Amino acid sequence: MRRILDRIYRQLRDSDGLDPDLSTRDLASFSVGKGIQIIRGFVWLRANVFLGPRAKILGRRSLVLGKGCTIGDGVTINAVSRGGVTLGDRVTIDRNASLLGSAVIRSVGEGISIGNGASVGAFNVIHGGGGVTIGRDALLGPFVAIYSENHQFEDPKTPIRLQGHIRKPVEIGHDVWIGAHAVVLAGVSIGDGAIVAAGAVVTKDVPARTIVGGVPAKVIGVR
């Protein structure tokens, strides 16, 4: 049984197999939980995905799901947007993350696209108002925030909430690692293989294979 489950896991996740130190009891519990999630995904989304409890999906017609995706407990996805929300094969959206193709119905956003094998950490907020693209195998730690629009604030006589927004797309390359609690602001491009340190605030483009950290983020190394 362990060999069968190991083979299934390798195929679904395109990765190394199960840890050999995992006890039979824990493996059984894990397998039952995943079985329930795949049934829930088929029933509610008509797709080959693992769907956790309390997940909320808005705009199902604008949501494109690859094979073997995981949508965790309490995840919110609002796919209502011009480009919708697209998750590639084996994308993981960890618990309580929010993917917002649009934040408000009075101004429809551009949407979000996430490449194969990427992982979005717990409690992430990805705001696709101006469009967010995340490449293959990207890793986003917990509590990462990505914003593709900003409030306008030039007129001091008018409340900021009434001055509208400036939208600029965010592009995150393949094999990028963004550490916990980092913030990526509108208009930023992060090159392939780059690393963003935990807690950084990224306000400018990051070249490929560059390591940045700090507030605002600055180059602190290369790979």
Side-chain angles (χ1 to χ4, degrees):
M1 179 62 71
R2 179 181 287 269
R3 290 182 179 179
I4 295 174
L5 293 175
D6 185 84
R7 188 180 303 114
I8 293 172
Y9 184 84
R10 289 173 184 269
Q11 292 175 348
L12 287 174
R13 302 304 296 172
D14 190 28
S15 64
D16 295 336
L18 299 167
D19 191 323
D21 292 333
L22 190 66
S23 71
T24 301
R25 177 178 294 180
D26 290 338
L27 178 57
S29 178
F30 172 83
S31 301
V32 170
K34 284 297 183 181
I36 293 172
Q37 289 181 7
I38 198 73
I39 293 172
R40 185 182 290 116
F42 179 77
V43 171
W44 291 103
L45 298 177
R46 301 297 185 205
N48 180 19
V49 300
F50 298 92
L51 181 64
R54 293 176 290 279
K56 298 179 181 179
I57 310 293
L58 303 175
R60 175 64 186 89
R61 293 182 179 180
S62 299
L63 177 62
V64 178
L65 297 167
K67 296 180 180 178
C69 291
T70 298
I71 300 173
D73 183 8
V75 167
T76 296
I77 298 177
N78 179 6
V80 177
S81 52
R82 292 183 177 86
V85 171
T86 298
L87 307 183
D89 295 343
R90 304 177 308 281
V91 168
T92 296
I93 311 297
D94 208 346
R95 62 190 182 90
N96 295 309
S98 296
L99 275 61
L100 308 175
S102 299
V104 291
I105 59 174
R106 70 174 181 272
S107 183
V108 175
E110 297 299 324
I112 300 167
S113 177
I114 302 178
N116 295 348
S119 180
V120 174
F123 296 95
N124 276 211
V125 176
I126 301 178
H127 194 307
V132 174
T133 301
I134 299 173
R136 299 186 305 273
D137 299 310
L139 299 173
L140 279 60
F143 294 96
V144 167
I146 300 174
Y147 300 104
S148 57
E149 68 178 35
N150 288 314
H151 289 284
Q152 297 190 73
F153 55 89
E154 288 77 9
D155 184 359
K157 297 181 180 180
T158 302
I160 293 174
R161 68 181 181 86
L162 299 178
Q163 294 190 46
H165 301 85
I166 299 174
R167 291 178 166 176
K168 296 181 179 179
V170 172
E171 297 183 1
I172 297 172
H174 308 307
D175 190 31
V176 170
W177 177 20
I178 301 179
H181 293 275
V183 179
V184 180
L185 297 182
V188 164
S189 176
I190 300 177
D192 295 347
I195 297 175
V196 176
V201 177
V202 184
T203 61
K204 297 180 180 179
D205 291 351
V206 178
R209 299 192 177 279
T210 300
I211 304 171
V212 299
V215 182
K218 297 180 180 179
V219 176
I220 58 176
V222 293
R223 295 181 64 195

